[in-house]
Amino acid sequence: METFNRIAPDVCLGRSVKIFGFANLYGCTVGDESRIGCFVEIQKNASVGARCKISSHAFICEGVTIEDDVFIGHHVCFINDLFPRACRTDGTLQTDVDWKVIPILVKRRATIGSGAVILGGVTIGAGAIVGAGAVVTKSVAPRTVVAGNPARLLRPPTHSGRRGGTVTDRCTERWRGAQRGFLTACTRQLGRSKRRRHGWQ
Ligand SMILES: CC(C)(COP(=O)(O)OP(=O)(O)OC[C@H]1O[C@@H](n2cnc3c(N)ncnc32)[C@H](O)[C@@H]1OP(=O)(O)O)[C@@H](O)C(=O)NCCC(=O)NCCS
């Protein structure tokens, strides 16, 4: 493990986790074989699954749950308080009791592009891709691609979440389409035969 990391004693690190320096981790969990880039902060009650890649300068705040095999780009920022205030109305500093964490869930194999901002209360579906610089205000369906501010659907679900799917996906889709066409034709033919048998046409 590199020096210049600040890993609090209450951090629960899995097997073979790599942390590349100047990271600040406290009260969080990181699963086996995950890689944490430079200048990443992971706060208390946040959880990162196994085999995740957290790129440099990402900010993972309290209330964020990241499942296994997730990619988090550079400078990704999670937001757990939609109306933050420094002070109470009487001018005294706010503390933990003055606000409520709004959780965020990033499901398995999702990818979040660099510089994306993910607002509290959102779920990023399994295998979904969030474009670079997106501001995600609503939950993202599994295996879709979203981008922009606010993030909008760019591509519908594919098996892999990649552009247009893999060759296997495209073959499977074509095969399913052909199968659907064949079944529709059979149903029509059966309908015709039945109508003829009963003398309805
Ligand atoms: C979102 C993303 C996956 C889309 O890739 P794609 O499906 O190949 O999309 P295309 O390049 O064909 O672009 C389709 C349209 O979306 C727009 N678009 C692409 N990425 C966008 C983004 N991040 N934000 C806003 N619009 C975007 C394109 O301008 C294009 O618009 P147009 O149809 O009006 O010309 C990709 O652009 C992206 O942002 N990937 C994240 C990369 C990243 O952050 N990596 C981190 C480690 S380096």
Side-chain angles (χ1 to χ4, degrees):
M1 193 152 304
E2 296 286 333
T3 48
F4 305 117
N5 283 317
R6 187 174 171 272
I7 316 284
D10 57 357
V11 170
C12 182
L13 291 183
R15 178 179 38 84
S16 308
V17 169
K18 285 206 176 90
I19 303 177
F20 290 96
F22 301 100
N24 183 30
L25 273 59
Y26 56 97
C28 60
T29 305
V30 180
D32 296 347
E33 298 177 63
S34 281
R35 290 158 293 165
I36 313 289
C38 297
F39 299 101
V40 166
E41 173 159 318
I42 310 181
Q43 295 188 325
K44 70 173 174 349
N45 301 324
S47 151
V48 173
R51 298 171 303 281
C52 291
K53 183 172 182 193
I54 313 293
S55 308
S56 59
H57 296 93
F59 172 64
I60 299 172
C61 59
E62 185 174 2
V64 172
T65 302
I66 296 175
E67 293 187 348
D68 298 342
D69 309 332
V70 166
F71 177 94
I72 304 287
H74 308 278
H75 283 279
V76 167
C77 182
F78 291 91
I79 295 201
N80 61 7
D81 184 2
L82 295 182
F83 299 97
R85 297 276 187 204
C87 299
R88 302 182 186 124
T89 43
D90 64 2
T92 56
L93 283 175
Q94 277 204 353
T95 66
D96 276 0
V97 298
D98 296 305
W99 66 287
K100 208 169 151 268
V101 171
I102 310 177
I104 294 172
L105 174 62
V106 183
K107 305 276 281 179
R108 220 177 142 259
R109 297 188 71 82
T111 285
I112 302 185
S114 293
V117 175
I118 316 295
L119 292 189
V122 154
T123 294
I124 310 289
I129 297 180
V130 173
V135 177
V136 180
T137 56
K138 294 191 179 94
S139 290
V140 176
R143 305 188 319 277
T144 55
V145 180
V146 300
N149 177 7
R152 301 262 189 243
L153 185 71
L154 199 63
R155 296 192 186 282
T158 58
H159 183 62
S160 62
R162 282 186 168 271
R163 183 182 188 169
T166 61
V167 172
T168 323
D169 297 338
R170 287 195 289 273
C171 289
T172 310
E173 271 159 30
R174 247 176 252 152
W175 183 81
R176 282 203 184 120
Q179 198 187 29
R180 260 196 307 273
F182 174 71
L183 286 173
T184 314
C186 288
T187 314
R188 274 201 204 116
Q189 187 53 48
L190 277 172
R192 248 179 250 130
S193 323
K194 197 174 166 190
R195 283 199 295 272
R196 233 175 266 133
R197 219 177 26 252
H198 291 280
W200 294 336
Q201 62 175 35

